[in-house]
Amino acid sequence: MPERQPPEVSPLFIPLFLTVLLLAGELHHPCLSAAETTTGIAQSAHDDGKGAEKGKKESSPAAETPAVTRHTITMKGKTLTYTATAGELPVQNDAGETEAQIFFVAYSVPNPSPTAKRPLLFIFNGGPGASSVWLHLGAVGPRIVRMLPDGRMPAPPFHLEDNDTTWLEWADLVFIDPVGTGYSRAAKADLAKKFATVQGDVDSLGRFIRLYLGRYERWGGPLFLAGESYGAFRSAGLSEYLLEHGIALNGIVLISSVMNMQPLSFDQGNDLPYPLFLPSYTATAWYHHKLAPQFQADLDKTLAQVESWAATEYTAALVQGDSLPAEKRREVADKLAEFTGLDAAFIANRNLRIDNRSFVRELLRDRQQMVGYLDSRFTAPDLEPSNPRGFDPAVAIIKPPYTDAFNRYIRTELGYKSDLEYFVLGGGIGHWDWEAKNSYADTSDNLRNSFAKNPYMKLFVAMGLFDLATPHFSSMYTLNHLGLTPALQKSISTHRYRAGHMIYLDSTSRGQLNRDVREFAHKALAENPR
């Protein structure tokens, strides 16, 4: 597995958010079957989000006794009763020594059939440095943060509401916070760096999954992984790691994925990102009405034209480098201006190469606004247009409500008590070791090997058109270069949403994502009956 940390982190791995924050100067260093257990300090009833008795837990970060509570929510006019388990499991080395504690929140629904086990999904976000709160309280869990319909932040104070598109309706869920995120911590400070590596991260999560399956007696049922952003990167790595330890997956769900860092790295001499980001620039310009009328009329038609041009003429022009004739250079600059809404002179001055950092500050400069990296639908006033590093409007929108909501939810509804800071996004991860020597971090090889070793495994990839962190065309590029046989290629399905990196912020897209993933999981199991 992978590789080196590119010198220009720009979009390197906004695998979920951390790189964006780094770029924006907001950070100083580099986004599931619940336990059907009867253990725990307390059990309580929960009706429409209002808990009664709450489970309690000691503040010690090493405590392993989970808090178990009972709840009900209303979805689609029906009542869903479930058990929530919040706790920690140890990460032990081969000598049996505990090197870290991994925090998790699991949800399970009573199984109506003793002969058929419910699917179990292990879920995490990315970063590296992001906790699982984003998928947990944004899309998948039974309770979600109440945002405005298009995903923008409401006025504080913030609230939770029942999630009528929760994946818990059809599968049990385990939300995992990798070491250095959430409440998960290394046992000793000098062990922390072990988990801030590509291999160390995969190894620790693989050990967690094995231990969870044993402690909560979930061996023998359908298993899935779901990862967002860098969570997709680790999912690809985990797919082969788990196989090598005797754990075969039925399927993997990748949301706003990255598995190879080269398509995201705007490095000198690496022209690959420029054509792969272009369609996302076009979608963003379309959303903000910066394109000519013929391109504003039909986004899908426009994107098909842009993607074709990006993969052919634009790529061919970049390959020629300094030998590109002046007339052809002007032609390409004019075409890029049409497809991006940027000025042709600006593009020419950038040598026909527009990185995402430049794009988000330039597109709406005439309105004194900048657009978001994670979700380019969102904007904010650009008060320092000469400053090359600014904040991400999308992160500014999501961080306060999710931080506030989780800290109240875990204590008052799930009954888990801890004095530790819950690292929502950054704070617990220092330098990340990409383990790359003169190359780019890449776990797509692990995914390819997993398909070869486990022909029953299926893959679903969800992509947002307004994602300037892990663009949809970049995701497709990686998928199209896995080197799979035609038969194995049929195991992959994809869907594009008119949303950003966090597809589920948009309420319409969240509902569609739930339907798509549910259909994917059911099809994966139906094609391979037990």
Side-chain angles (χ1 to χ4, degrees), residues 178-515:
V179 179
T181 74
Y183 289 135
S184 300
R185 302 288 193 274
K188 298 179 181 178
D190 59 355
L191 287 173
K193 63 182 180 180
K194 175 179 180 178
F195 302 102
T197 67
V198 171
Q199 292 282 14
D201 178 71
V202 167
D203 180 78
S204 63
L205 292 172
R207 290 173 185 266
F208 172 91
I209 290 172
R210 180 203 60 78
L211 184 57
Y212 186 94
L213 292 175
R215 288 217 179 165
Y216 291 101
E217 300 182 358
R218 295 307 299 255
W219 289 97
L223 296 178
F224 292 82
L225 296 182
E228 179 179 53
S229 199
Y230 185 83
F233 187 92
R234 59 167 56 106
S235 291
L238 270 169
S239 66
E240 186 174 21
Y241 176 97
L242 292 173
L243 267 175
E244 292 301 309
H245 289 79
I247 301 173
L249 299 171
N250 294 87
I252 302 175
V253 177
L254 304 183
I255 301 172
S256 303
S257 64
V258 57
M259 290 179 280
N260 184 335
M261 296 306 177
Q262 184 177 3
L264 304 186
S265 305
F266 293 110
D267 296 333
Q268 181 65 35
N270 178 32
D271 283 335
L272 190 56
Y274 301 103
L276 298 181
F277 272 71
L278 178 58
S280 296
Y281 295 162
T282 300
T284 301
W286 173 88
Y287 183 85
H288 294 288
H289 304 284
K290 298 293 286 186
L291 300 179
Q294 67 268 28
F295 298 123
Q296 284 288 156
D298 187 328
L299 177 58
D300 293 332
K301 182 177 179 181
T302 296
L303 286 178
Q305 182 178 344
V306 173
E307 289 168 7
S308 176
W309 184 81
T312 54
E313 293 184 50
Y314 184 33
T315 297
L318 294 177
V319 167
Q320 294 180 60
D322 295 341
S323 67
L324 184 68
E327 182 178 348
K328 185 64 176 179
R329 186 178 298 273
R330 287 192 295 271
E331 179 185 323
V332 172
D334 289 341
K335 200 68 173 178
L336 285 171
E338 288 185 345
F339 287 152
T340 63
L342 302 178
D343 184 74
F346 174 85
I347 294 171
N349 288 336
R350 296 298 192 280
N351 196 24
L352 308 180
R353 293 160 173 82
I354 309 301
D355 60 73
N356 64 349
R357 182 190 302 178
S358 299
F359 180 80
V360 299
R361 304 298 291 275
E362 188 65 26
L363 179 66
L364 302 182
R365 186 176 293 274
D366 59 336
R367 305 177 191 174
Q368 295 184 300
Q369 293 180 323
M370 54 184 172
V371 302
Y373 291 94
L374 293 178
D375 195 322
S376 60
R377 298 175 303 152
F378 301 151
T379 63
D382 192 355
L383 303 181
E384 297 182 277
S386 62
N387 185 349
R389 297 176 183 272
F391 68 91
D392 183 357
V395 174
I397 285 172
I398 60 177
K399 195 170 184 180
Y402 279 78
T403 301
D404 176 79
F406 181 85
N407 277 284
R408 285 187 292 110
Y409 175 65
I410 194 67
R411 291 169 172 80
T412 61
E413 292 191 24
L414 300 190
Y416 185 92
K417 308 296 184 182
S418 175
D419 292 329
L420 291 174
E421 177 181 358
Y422 185 84
F423 291 131
V424 171
L425 180 61
I429 298 288
H431 170 74
W432 188 266
D433 185 356
W434 291 96
E435 302 172 329
K437 305 301 180 184
N438 298 318
S439 61
Y440 291 99
D442 184 8
T443 55
S444 65
D445 283 352
N446 302 108
L447 183 65
R448 180 179 65 246
N449 294 340
S450 297
F451 274 119
K453 297 175 181 178
N454 177 13
Y456 302 107
M457 187 180 75
K458 307 298 180 182
L459 175 68
F460 176 75
V461 182
M463 301 166 282
L465 295 180
F466 307 117
D467 179 2
L468 297 183
T470 56
H472 67 277
F473 207 39
S474 173
S475 295
M476 290 304 304
Y477 176 89
T478 301
L479 292 175
N480 290 334
H481 288 77
L482 289 176
L484 301 178
T485 64
L488 290 176
Q489 290 175 29
K490 295 178 181 179
S491 296
I492 301 176
S493 56
T494 66
H495 191 89
R496 307 196 312 187
Y497 303 82
R498 293 197 178 188
H501 191 73
M502 300 170 71
I503 292 169
Y504 42 87
L505 286 179
D506 179 86
S507 59
T508 300
S509 295
R510 182 176 71 247
Q512 184 63 50
L513 178 64
N514 172 54
R515 291 190 293 272

Side-chain angles (χ1 to χ4, degrees), residues 5 18-30 389 399 425-427 429-432:
Q5 184 170 0
L18 210 39
T19 300
V20 171
L21 292 179
L22 203 169
L23 287 176
E26 293 187 20
L27 292 180
H28 299 291
H29 46 68
R389 297 176 183 272
K399 195 170 184 180
L425 180 61
I429 298 288
H431 170 74
W432 188 266

Side-chain angles (χ1 to χ4, degrees), residues 38 41 50 76 123 125 146 198 203 232 274 349 400 458 509:
T38 57
I41 304 299
K50 299 177 182 179
K76 302 174 183 177
I123 306 169
N125 277 88
R146 181 187 302 165
V198 171
D203 180 78
Y274 301 103
N349 288 336
K458 307 298 180 182
S509 295

